[in-house]
Amino acid sequence: TRVKFAWMELPVEGGVPRSLGFTAIPVGQPIPSDTLVQWIRTSSPVRIVVDGSNPPEVERVLSEWPSEGVRPTRLGTRHDFPLKIDVEFPEKVGIDRLLNAIAANARRQPGQQALVVDSGTATTIDLVDGNGVFRGGAILPGFEMGAKALNEYTALLPLIQHHRLHDRIPHAVGRNTTEALESGLYWGHVGAVRQLIDAILNESTPAMASPDPLILLTSGAARVLKVHLPEAHWEAALCLQGLTLAAAAMPMSPKR
């Protein structure tokens, strides 16, 4: 539902890329050409890589990219990613899930499992094992998708937006329709994610595992979750960090 742009710098000796600039637009809106041109002019050398899980929008961004010398490229196939993928159909895994996993690998300690909770339009909870292998995970409706479904498939229920609940926790017992919707959407989302985290770790964690798993939160509705997952780390640009690392693994990759 959004197109995100980041100006990223690779660390000198591994680790997590550093964000020097960030902006985002709703799908279909004009791309921020002035900002992009400024980033390109400031960076030398520069590599521009575009990809995502909305193919028509990816093609639009590529076609509308400002003509400022360097042209954007697409990522290679999944076989070119700096990530081992152990699922039944690797080519069908959403690229955002894989890029999150690449970024998680740059953060986790040796032997540490990582769970990535990406709470966007859909919510995904994915496992990277102690060897850095993407093992799959769970997909469920995101907060916004659930809110839109309740609004569109009923006659009278209003639309609840997750940003209304970023800075407050709703009462479990709603005293009117809006409060009842806020309660169900908020606590239903929190409960589903917590239960899935527990279930995935119970199923995948070896006996006597150490250190504790790394839990990462990303995307807009993760702000609803972070207060209830104090052990988790929130990183808004996780997918873009993974995109940067994947681009760096391509041939002839510059520092920016």
mmCIF file of all heavy atoms in Angstrom, residues 174-193:
data_model
loop_
_atom_site.group_PDB
_atom_site.id
_atom_site.type_symbol
_atom_site.label_atom_id
_atom_site.label_comp_id
_atom_site.label_asym_id
_atom_site.label_seq_id
_atom_site.Cartn_x
_atom_site.Cartn_y
_atom_site.Cartn_z
ATOM 1 N N GLY A 174 -15.388 -2.317 25.519
ATOM 2 C CA GLY A 174 -15.811 -1.088 24.854
ATOM 3 C C GLY A 174 -17.236 -0.721 25.221
ATOM 4 O O GLY A 174 -18.125 -1.581 25.224
ATOM 5 N N ARG A 175 -17.454 0.553 25.502
ATOM 6 C CA ARG A 175 -18.784 1.002 25.922
ATOM 7 C C ARG A 175 -19.601 1.581 24.765
ATOM 8 O O ARG A 175 -20.704 2.058 24.958
ATOM 9 C CB ARG A 175 -18.647 2.019 27.050
ATOM 10 C CG ARG A 175 -18.096 1.386 28.340
ATOM 11 C CD ARG A 175 -17.803 2.427 29.400
ATOM 12 N NE ARG A 175 -18.977 3.226 29.752
ATOM 13 C CZ ARG A 175 -19.927 2.830 30.598
ATOM 14 N NH1 ARG A 175 -19.847 1.634 31.175
ATOM 15 N NH2 ARG A 175 -20.944 3.615 30.878
ATOM 16 N N ASN A 176 -19.044 1.551 23.564
ATOM 17 C CA ASN A 176 -19.785 1.933 22.356
ATOM 18 C C ASN A 176 -19.162 1.161 21.188
ATOM 19 O O ASN A 176 -18.175 0.426 21.360
ATOM 20 C CB ASN A 176 -19.754 3.448 22.130
ATOM 21 C CG ASN A 176 -18.328 3.991 22.068
ATOM 22 O OD1 ASN A 176 -17.524 3.539 21.254
ATOM 23 N ND2 ASN A 176 -18.018 4.946 22.944
ATOM 24 N N THR A 177 -19.746 1.309 20.004
ATOM 25 C CA THR A 177 -19.300 0.507 18.867
ATOM 26 C C THR A 177 -17.842 0.767 18.516
ATOM 27 O O THR A 177 -17.065 -0.160 18.266
ATOM 28 C CB THR A 177 -20.190 0.780 17.642
ATOM 29 O OG1 THR A 177 -21.536 0.441 17.958
ATOM 30 C CG2 THR A 177 -19.735 -0.041 16.442
ATOM 31 N N THR A 178 -17.444 2.032 18.487
ATOM 32 C CA THR A 178 -16.059 2.356 18.140
ATOM 33 C C THR A 178 -15.090 1.763 19.149
ATOM 34 O O THR A 178 -14.068 1.166 18.780
ATOM 35 C CB THR A 178 -15.873 3.880 18.053
ATOM 36 O OG1 THR A 178 -16.676 4.394 16.981
ATOM 37 C CG2 THR A 178 -14.419 4.245 17.802
ATOM 38 N N GLU A 179 -15.415 1.896 20.426
ATOM 39 C CA GLU A 179 -14.530 1.341 21.460
ATOM 40 C C GLU A 179 -14.472 -0.185 21.379
ATOM 41 O O GLU A 179 -13.418 -0.786 21.603
ATOM 42 C CB GLU A 179 -15.001 1.773 22.849
ATOM 43 C CG GLU A 179 -14.773 3.246 23.133
ATOM 44 C CD GLU A 179 -15.198 3.622 24.538
ATOM 45 O OE1 GLU A 179 -15.735 2.746 25.257
ATOM 46 O OE2 GLU A 179 -14.998 4.788 24.921
ATOM 47 N N ALA A 180 -15.602 -0.804 21.064
ATOM 48 C CA ALA A 180 -15.622 -2.260 20.940
ATOM 49 C C ALA A 180 -14.766 -2.731 19.759
ATOM 50 O O ALA A 180 -14.056 -3.743 19.845
ATOM 51 C CB ALA A 180 -17.061 -2.753 20.783
ATOM 52 N N LEU A 181 -14.819 -1.988 18.654
ATOM 53 C CA LEU A 181 -13.976 -2.309 17.507
ATOM 54 C C LEU A 181 -12.498 -2.115 17.843
ATOM 55 O O LEU A 181 -11.655 -2.950 17.499
ATOM 56 C CB LEU A 181 -14.351 -1.425 16.314
ATOM 57 C CG LEU A 181 -15.613 -1.819 15.549
ATOM 58 C CD1 LEU A 181 -16.021 -0.690 14.608
ATOM 59 C CD2 LEU A 181 -15.385 -3.101 14.765
ATOM 60 N N GLU A 182 -12.188 -1.024 18.503
ATOM 61 C CA GLU A 182 -10.801 -0.782 18.897
ATOM 62 C C GLU A 182 -10.288 -1.911 19.779
ATOM 63 O O GLU A 182 -9.161 -2.390 19.611
ATOM 64 C CB GLU A 182 -10.684 0.557 19.619
ATOM 65 C CG GLU A 182 -10.866 1.764 18.712
ATOM 66 C CD GLU A 182 -10.751 3.078 19.463
ATOM 67 O OE1 GLU A 182 -10.834 3.055 20.722
ATOM 68 O OE2 GLU A 182 -10.578 4.123 18.809
ATOM 69 N N SER A 183 -11.125 -2.349 20.724
ATOM 70 C CA SER A 183 -10.729 -3.436 21.613
ATOM 71 C C SER A 183 -10.467 -4.716 20.831
ATOM 72 O O SER A 183 -9.418 -5.360 20.991
ATOM 73 C CB SER A 183 -11.816 -3.688 22.658
ATOM 74 O OG SER A 183 -11.532 -4.867 23.404
ATOM 75 N N GLY A 184 -11.412 -5.104 19.984
ATOM 76 C CA GLY A 184 -11.258 -6.349 19.247
ATOM 77 C C GLY A 184 -10.070 -6.341 18.304
ATOM 78 O O GLY A 184 -9.304 -7.309 18.239
ATOM 79 N N LEU A 185 -9.908 -5.232 17.556
ATOM 80 C CA LEU A 185 -8.804 -5.149 16.609
ATOM 81 C C LEU A 185 -7.463 -5.106 17.330
ATOM 82 O O LEU A 185 -6.516 -5.811 16.960
ATOM 83 C CB LEU A 185 -8.968 -3.908 15.722
ATOM 84 C CG LEU A 185 -10.108 -3.987 14.707
ATOM 85 C CD1 LEU A 185 -10.414 -2.602 14.147
ATOM 86 C CD2 LEU A 185 -9.741 -4.946 13.568
ATOM 87 N N TYR A 186 -7.368 -4.294 18.365
ATOM 88 C CA TYR A 186 -6.108 -4.115 19.077
ATOM 89 C C TYR A 186 -5.702 -5.386 19.812
ATOM 90 O O TYR A 186 -4.633 -5.953 19.574
ATOM 91 C CB TYR A 186 -6.261 -2.955 20.058
ATOM 92 C CG TYR A 186 -5.013 -2.584 20.828
ATOM 93 C CD1 TYR A 186 -4.238 -1.503 20.424
ATOM 94 C CD2 TYR A 186 -4.633 -3.278 21.967
ATOM 95 C CE1 TYR A 186 -3.105 -1.135 21.130
ATOM 96 C CE2 TYR A 186 -3.502 -2.926 22.683
ATOM 97 C CZ TYR A 186 -2.739 -1.851 22.264
ATOM 98 O OH TYR A 186 -1.613 -1.505 22.973
ATOM 99 N N TRP A 187 -6.582 -5.840 20.712
ATOM 100 C CA TRP A 187 -6.220 -6.992 21.530
ATOM 101 C C TRP A 187 -6.206 -8.286 20.725
ATOM 102 O O TRP A 187 -5.436 -9.203 21.019
ATOM 103 C CB TRP A 187 -7.143 -7.097 22.739
ATOM 104 C CG TRP A 187 -6.921 -5.982 23.712
ATOM 105 C CD1 TRP A 187 -7.759 -4.957 24.008
ATOM 106 C CD2 TRP A 187 -5.748 -5.787 24.514
ATOM 107 N NE1 TRP A 187 -7.199 -4.118 24.939
ATOM 108 C CE2 TRP A 187 -5.961 -4.594 25.271
ATOM 109 C CE3 TRP A 187 -4.546 -6.462 24.664
ATOM 110 C CZ2 TRP A 187 -5.018 -4.100 26.155
ATOM 111 C CZ3 TRP A 187 -3.596 -5.974 25.541
ATOM 112 C CH2 TRP A 187 -3.833 -4.805 26.277
ATOM 113 N N GLY A 188 -7.049 -8.364 19.683
ATOM 114 C CA GLY A 188 -6.997 -9.526 18.802
ATOM 115 C C GLY A 188 -5.666 -9.612 18.068
ATOM 116 O O GLY A 188 -5.081 -10.696 17.932
ATOM 117 N N HIS A 189 -5.167 -8.464 17.600
ATOM 118 C CA HIS A 189 -3.893 -8.443 16.887
ATOM 119 C C HIS A 189 -2.735 -8.779 17.836
ATOM 120 O O HIS A 189 -1.881 -9.614 17.528
ATOM 121 C CB HIS A 189 -3.691 -7.066 16.258
ATOM 122 C CG HIS A 189 -2.586 -7.012 15.246
ATOM 123 N ND1 HIS A 189 -2.527 -7.836 14.157
ATOM 124 C CD2 HIS A 189 -1.475 -6.228 15.177
ATOM 125 C CE1 HIS A 189 -1.447 -7.564 13.446
ATOM 126 N NE2 HIS A 189 -0.786 -6.602 14.049
ATOM 127 N N VAL A 190 -2.730 -8.132 18.998
ATOM 128 C CA VAL A 190 -1.679 -8.396 19.982
ATOM 129 C C VAL A 190 -1.690 -9.873 20.389
ATOM 130 O O VAL A 190 -0.641 -10.537 20.426
ATOM 131 C CB VAL A 190 -1.853 -7.495 21.219
ATOM 132 C CG1 VAL A 190 -0.937 -7.940 22.360
ATOM 133 C CG2 VAL A 190 -1.576 -6.038 20.861
ATOM 134 N N GLY A 191 -2.868 -10.399 20.685
ATOM 135 C CA GLY A 191 -2.960 -11.783 21.141
ATOM 136 C C GLY A 191 -2.537 -12.773 20.074
ATOM 137 O O GLY A 191 -1.835 -13.749 20.368
ATOM 138 N N ALA A 192 -2.948 -12.541 18.831
ATOM 139 C CA ALA A 192 -2.585 -13.458 17.751
ATOM 140 C C ALA A 192 -1.076 -13.487 17.546
ATOM 141 O O ALA A 192 -0.474 -14.560 17.391
ATOM 142 C CB ALA A 192 -3.292 -13.052 16.462
ATOM 143 N N VAL A 193 -0.449 -12.317 17.558
ATOM 144 C CA VAL A 193 0.993 -12.255 17.339
ATOM 145 C C VAL A 193 1.746 -12.912 18.494
ATOM 146 O O VAL A 193 2.670 -13.701 18.282
ATOM 147 C CB VAL A 193 1.440 -10.795 17.137
ATOM 148 C CG1 VAL A 193 2.958 -10.679 17.169
ATOM 149 C CG2 VAL A 193 0.905 -10.258 15.818
#
